[in-house]
Amino acid sequence: MPTRHTTGATMFTHNGIAVSAWVSLDSSCSIKQHVFADALEIEFGSGVDSLGLSVSEDMVEKLATAFQEASTRFRDHADHENVA
């Protein structure tokens, strides 16, 4: 499935992914988003120090669920650590 990027480039995916990589992000990283009719593009960082993702609407829902579950687990873990 080809995906569009703000640069106009087209990438073809295999099994739903075009690149395999691990990235570590922390709260100092800036985030920009661009919403299109058929995709959300997110840029973490800026310029040459950036990572871009292009995801479908269905994947936005999957990511939102995963992030909400992770956020809940972080809070639960912090609550257990703070119990005397």
Side-chain angles (χ1 to χ4, degrees):
M1 173 176 125
T3 56
R4 180 186 65 246
H5 302 277
T6 39
T7 61
T10 300
M11 293 179 74
F12 291 90
T13 63
H14 177 70
N15 292 327
I17 190 166
V19 174
S20 177
W22 284 95
V23 176
S24 178
L25 302 170
D26 63 34
S27 62
S28 68
C29 183
S30 64
I31 302 173
K32 294 179 203 162
Q33 62 178 327
H34 307 280
V35 180
F36 299 95
D38 60 346
L40 166 68
E41 293 185 357
I42 303 173
E43 181 181 12
F44 298 96
S46 62
V48 296
D49 296 327
S50 68
L51 167 70
L53 297 176
S54 179
V55 296
S56 66
E57 182 178 351
D58 292 343
M59 186 53 126
V60 169
E61 294 299 321
K62 283 182 165 182
L63 288 170
T65 298
F67 288 144
Q68 182 58 49
E69 289 173 0
S71 182
T72 299
R73 288 183 180 179
F74 282 132
R75 282 192 307 273
D76 289 347
H77 183 71
D79 289 344
H80 290 291
E81 283 186 353
N82 294 327
V83 175

